[in-house]
């Protein structure tokens, strides 16, 4: 949802210099006289004077701020009150607990900010998002069937439930990642808030349901400027938090998250970035096909290089040691077919020994039937689209090996309409590609019975 950019560049300092006509609001009964007196004591005062006021009567000030956001819609005033709350929390984050004081148990502390997320300009949206994130993080844990806001867990109260707040906030954060309101600030703001919110299990569930995981993957790329390093760090922190949640891990396994993280860790000297990436690897190592992918991308060697560097962070050193041990164990367990499958699926085809090993083909030929001959279909995609001559030659050779060793090889390959697709490569500029495409076509015509005469 685009917003007017002239207001998008506002700063908190600019907004807090304004003089808001509180007396006028009182005369028109938009605020009470008590509210006005509290504001006069607080407004335009330094933190040294505000601190004691909040220590003494913090919940009353929170109530004043919430009342103003509910009853006054004038943009300048809404911006001003949000800036006051933001400044109050920035000076002391523990003040978020004031919103959960018993005296405010009947107040809907979330609704004003949740509403403004979708209605305001960028300044309003960003402040509302930031404040909501702090409030959610500070909320007391469930006790005696009560949830924050003083709303009973089985209540039919009209107060905004924490579930509604979290869903609304996650939806807004995903919308910012998809279609940023602000060209430079939306994505860093959304990622910053997610790096805090995804500590909660329920938020991880909502984020996966909102199809948010795929929105983070493009943000994982080597960074150079301070701002981009912070964004990269917080994105990788989100990935690490998601790596504790199986549904998110299942989704991550369909993305290029591991190759992207490997590129980051190879090129980053920022300790906090390396730490969170290595900890993500450590978590993902035990799940799905990640281990084979990490090994195929050369992570064992990268870990050795990282261990040789002088890191001061104990968590990073521990994670590197655990990752190294885990990769070694997986390397022992990884079958030759698992390694082969990873090569094909990642498109990293080369002349590793297994391709020309008759035992590999005899022992694993039935594995090629998995997922409706997925490996063969990927080989055909390589043959159709790759510009790498080695990959093309190996793909043709492997297809010819399948034809030789699988009893129904010709029928399966014919179903894939492989003949014409491979024949196109018989006129390729590269001799190795020509030779292996010819071998494949010959085996396709002759069948397994005669193919043994055509050993390469």
């Amino acid at each position: 949802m685009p917003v007017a950019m002239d207001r998008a560049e506002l700063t908190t300092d600019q907004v807090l210099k304004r003089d808001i006509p509180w007396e006028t609001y009182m005369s028109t009964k938009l605020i009470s006289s008590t509210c006005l007196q509290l504001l006069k004591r607080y407004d335009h005062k330094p933190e040294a004077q505000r601190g004691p006021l909040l220590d003494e009567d913090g919940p009353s000030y929170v109530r004043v701020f919430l009342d103003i956001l509910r009853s006054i819609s004038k943009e300048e005033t809404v911006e001003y009150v949000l800036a006051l709350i933001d400044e109050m929390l920035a000076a002391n984050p523990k003040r978020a607990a004031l919103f959960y004081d018993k005296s405010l148990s009947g107040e809907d502390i979330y609704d004003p900010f949740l509403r403004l997320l979708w209605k305001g300009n960028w300044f309003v949206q960003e402040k509302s998002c930031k404040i909501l994130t702090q409030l959610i993080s500070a909320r007391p844990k469930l006790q005696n069937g009560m949830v924050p806001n003083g709303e009973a867990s089985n209540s039919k109260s009209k107060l905004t439930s924490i579930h509604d707040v979290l869903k609304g906030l996650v939806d807004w954060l995903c919308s910012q990642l998809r279609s940023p309101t602000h060209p430079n600030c939306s994505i860093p703001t959304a990622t910053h808030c997610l790096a805090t919110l995804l500590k909660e299990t329920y938020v991880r569930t909502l984020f996966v349901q909102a199809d948010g995981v795929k929105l983070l993957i493009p943000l994982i790329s080597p960074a150079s400027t301070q701002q981009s390093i912070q964004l990269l760090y917080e994105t990788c922190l989100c990935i690490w938090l998601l790596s504790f949640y199986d549904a998110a891990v299942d989704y991550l396994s369909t993305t290029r998250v591991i190759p992207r993280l490997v590129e980051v860790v190879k090129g980053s000297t920022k300790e906090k970035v390396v730490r969170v990436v290595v900890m993500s690897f450590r978590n993902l190592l035990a799940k799905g096909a990640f281990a084979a992918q990490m090994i195929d991308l050369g992570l064992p060697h990268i870990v050795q290089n990282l261990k040789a560097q002088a890191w001061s962070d104990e968590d990073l050193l521990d994670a590197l040691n655990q990752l190294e041990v885990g990769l070694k164990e997986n390397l022992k367990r990884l079958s030759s077919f698992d390694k082969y499958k990873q090569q094909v699926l990642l498109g990293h085809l080369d002349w590793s020994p297994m391709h020309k090993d008759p035992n590999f083909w005899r022992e694993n030929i039935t594995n090629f039937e998995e997922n409706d001959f997925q490996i063969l279909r990927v080989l055909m995609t390589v043959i159709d689209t790759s510009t790498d001559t080695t990959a093309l030659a190996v793909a043709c050779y492997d297809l010819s090996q399948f034809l030789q060793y699988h009893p129904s090889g010709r029928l399966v390959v014919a179903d894939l309409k492989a003949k014409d697709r491979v024949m196109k490569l018989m006129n390729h500029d590269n001799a190795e590609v020509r030779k292996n495409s010819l071998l494949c076509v010959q085996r396709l015509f002759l069948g397994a019975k005669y193919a043994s005469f055509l050993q390469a």
Side-chain angles (χ1 to χ4, degrees):
M1 178 176 62
V3 295
M5 290 308 295
D6 56 336
R7 303 198 72 79
E9 308 306 331
L10 278 174
T11 67
T12 303
D13 287 344
Q14 285 171 330
V15 170
L16 289 173
K17 286 193 175 96
R18 293 176 186 164
D19 285 310
I20 304 296
W22 301 123
E23 282 90 352
T24 308
Y25 285 139
M26 194 198 81
S27 65
T28 54
K29 296 193 165 51
L30 285 169
I31 61 172
S32 66
S33 56
T34 312
C35 183
L36 178 64
Q37 287 187 341
L38 286 166
L39 284 165
K40 279 186 169 177
R41 274 195 270 163
Y42 189 90
D43 200 18
H44 291 301
K45 300 294 189 294
E47 171 61 24
Q49 282 177 255
R50 285 176 174 176
L53 292 174
L54 291 168
D55 292 340
E56 182 191 325
D57 201 9
S60 295
Y61 286 96
V62 167
R63 178 179 275 111
V64 166
F65 297 151
L66 292 171
D67 284 347
I68 293 168
L69 291 177
R70 278 193 209 99
S71 55
I72 297 170
S73 56
K74 190 170 174 59
E75 200 167 53
E76 286 82 357
T77 306
V78 169
E79 290 165 354
Y80 189 80
V81 172
L82 289 172
L84 282 180
I85 299 171
D86 183 49
E87 189 184 51
M88 173 184 91
L89 296 175
N92 183 356
K94 289 182 179 174
R95 288 173 180 164
L98 294 172
F99 286 77
Y100 297 102
D101 189 82
K102 283 181 182 171
S103 65
L104 295 169
S105 61
E107 294 279 341
D108 195 333
I109 62 170
Y110 302 125
D111 178 66
F113 307 107
L114 198 55
R115 229 174 351 95
L116 291 168
L117 275 182
W118 299 96
K119 290 185 176 175
N121 59 48
W122 173 249
F123 183 89
V124 168
Q125 289 182 7
E126 191 255 350
K127 288 284 179 273
S128 299
C129 165
K130 200 173 159 188
I131 293 164
L132 267 179
T133 300
Q134 286 175 280
L135 295 189
I136 287 163
S137 300
R139 79 186 190 283
K141 298 303 164 204
L142 190 68
Q143 286 179 335
N144 306 324
M146 296 295 289
V147 293
N149 281 42
E151 175 198 355
S153 54
N154 59 357
S155 158
K156 291 184 180 172
S157 153
K158 289 182 181 172
L159 297 183
T160 308
S161 75
I162 187 64
H163 298 291
D164 290 341
V165 179
L166 290 173
K167 184 169 188 327
L169 184 51
V170 167
D171 285 347
W172 183 82
L173 292 168
C174 288
S175 79
Q176 290 302 308
L177 292 174
R178 277 192 194 94
S179 308
T181 297
H182 189 289
N184 306 319
C185 301
S186 284
I187 289 174
T189 297
T191 311
H192 177 72
C193 291
L194 282 166
T196 298
L197 293 167
L198 285 168
K199 291 171 187 168
E200 301 211 17
T201 309
Y202 183 59
V203 175
R204 294 171 197 166
T205 306
L206 289 172
F207 189 63
V208 171
Q209 286 171 353
D211 207 14
V213 182
K214 70 179 180 191
L215 304 171
L216 295 174
I217 308 301
L219 306 179
I220 306 170
S221 59
S224 52
T225 66
Q226 195 56 46
Q227 191 183 9
S228 62
I229 288 169
Q230 186 60 20
L231 174 59
L232 174 62
Y233 167 68
E234 288 175 339
T235 304
C236 293
L237 184 55
C238 290
I239 298 295
W240 176 65
L241 291 166
L242 288 166
S243 71
F244 290 94
Y245 179 48
D246 286 346
V249 170
D250 290 344
Y251 190 94
L252 286 170
S253 68
T254 68
T255 70
R256 287 188 52 77
V257 68
I258 299 295
R260 282 180 171 271
L261 289 173
V262 166
E263 283 308 304
V264 164
V265 89
K266 272 172 24 185
S268 185
T269 54
K270 202 74 177 168
E271 197 163 51
K272 66 179 184 179
V273 174
V274 174
R275 181 184 69 237
V276 79
V277 172
V278 169
M279 287 166 70
S280 300
F281 285 145
R282 184 185 61 187
N283 276 8
L284 293 170
L285 185 64
K287 301 176 181 182
F290 290 110
Q293 206 177 352
M294 289 177 196
I295 289 164
D296 198 60
L297 290 164
L299 195 57
H301 182 62
I302 294 165
V303 168
Q304 284 179 345
N305 289 343
L306 288 171
K307 283 187 72 179
Q309 294 179 41
W311 306 108
S312 58
D313 188 310
E314 288 294 327
D315 288 342
L316 171 54
L317 295 169
D318 287 348
L320 278 169
N321 286 329
Q322 289 169 16
L323 183 56
E324 184 179 43
V325 170
L327 285 167
K328 279 179 181 169
E329 286 172 1
N330 273 281
L331 204 48
K332 286 179 205 162
R333 283 201 305 266
L334 207 57
S335 73
S336 55
F337 188 74
D338 286 327
K339 292 176 190 170
Y340 174 78
K341 188 174 174 180
Q342 284 306 312
Q343 259 197 32
V344 176
L345 294 180
L346 291 166
H348 296 162
L349 286 170
D350 56 31
W351 289 114
S352 49
M354 68 184 99
H355 296 275
K356 296 195 175 184
D357 178 2
N359 289 330
F360 168 79
W361 291 96
R362 274 194 289 271
E363 289 165 14
N364 293 292
I365 197 66
T366 55
N367 291 333
F368 281 80
E369 296 169 11
E370 286 176 9
N371 298 326
D372 191 25
F373 296 96
Q374 179 194 22
I375 295 292
L376 291 189
R377 287 185 279 114
V378 176
L379 285 174
M380 290 313 306
T381 303
V382 171
I383 285 168
D384 285 341
T385 61
S386 182
T387 54
D388 179 341
T389 54
T390 302
L392 287 171
V394 174
C396 289
Y397 181 81
D398 287 0
L399 200 57
S400 72
Q401 292 294 81
F402 175 81
L403 285 163
Q404 177 172 349
Y405 287 96
H406 196 283
S408 307
R410 289 173 78 195
L411 287 171
V412 174
V413 174
D415 277 349
L416 292 171
K417 301 186 171 48
K419 185 180 74 175
D420 292 341
R421 292 155 81 179
V422 176
M423 282 179 81
K424 285 179 187 171
L425 296 178
M426 288 167 63
N427 298 317
H428 198 277
D429 293 342
N430 181 276
E432 195 175 33
V433 174
R434 288 199 303 274
K435 171 186 155 188
N436 286 286
S437 59
L438 175 62
L439 174 67
C440 184
V441 170
Q442 285 173 327
R443 285 187 176 166
L444 191 53
F445 281 120
L446 289 171
K449 188 175 175 184
Y450 303 104
S452 54
F453 296 113
L454 291 165
Q455 289 302 326

